[in-house]
Amino acid sequence: MTDQDSSFQTDALIAEDIDAYLLSHQHKSLLRFITCGSVDDGKSTLIGRLRAGAYELLARADVPHAAAISEYVDVAKAFFDDRESKFVNGILDAVAKDVRS
């Protein structure tokens, strides 16, 4: 197995973890909203950042929640308007609160 094969397997496992988390919380309307509908106009990039941020909050206990959220909000600010960065902040804050409970 090459390093690239291992990397693809790791990426697939991460995606499965995030997808399983989202599936278990699909009754929450906001999480359902971010995973459904069109992926036009950069929405796929926004969803990708949310998935990465959610993974970091779920699987990386060594990373402080505030630092992880701030990192992904900063990325959103670089690519999107203030509205979207606030959206990222709200979603990741909700995930962080759920992880802590």
Side-chain angles (χ1 to χ4, degrees):
M1 177 181 295
T2 68
D3 286 341
Q4 188 175 13
D5 291 337
S6 177
S7 179
F8 287 133
Q9 286 181 338
T10 300
D11 290 348
L13 290 173
I14 291 169
E16 286 177 17
D17 288 346
I18 294 168
D19 290 342
Y21 176 82
L22 292 174
L23 182 62
S24 71
H25 291 84
Q26 68 183 356
H27 65 283
K28 296 179 180 177
S29 60
L30 196 51
L31 287 174
R32 186 178 301 128
F33 170 77
I34 66 166
T35 58
C36 297
S38 172
V39 291
D40 297 333
D41 301 327
K43 291 179 186 172
S44 61
T45 300
L46 186 60
I47 291 170
R49 297 307 91 214
L50 287 168
R51 288 180 75 180
Y55 168 77
E56 194 164 338
L57 291 168
L58 290 166
R60 297 290 311 270
D62 60 316
V63 177
H65 290 150
I69 292 170
S70 178
E71 178 180 322
Y72 288 98
V73 169
D74 289 345
V75 170
K77 285 180 181 178
F79 292 98
F80 299 100
D81 293 328
D82 193 45
R83 180 176 174 228
E84 285 84 357
S85 62
K86 288 179 181 179
F87 180 72
V88 168
N89 185 56
I91 293 292
L92 294 180
D93 186 56
V95 170
K97 286 178 183 174
D98 193 51
V99 167
R100 283 183 248 160
S101 62

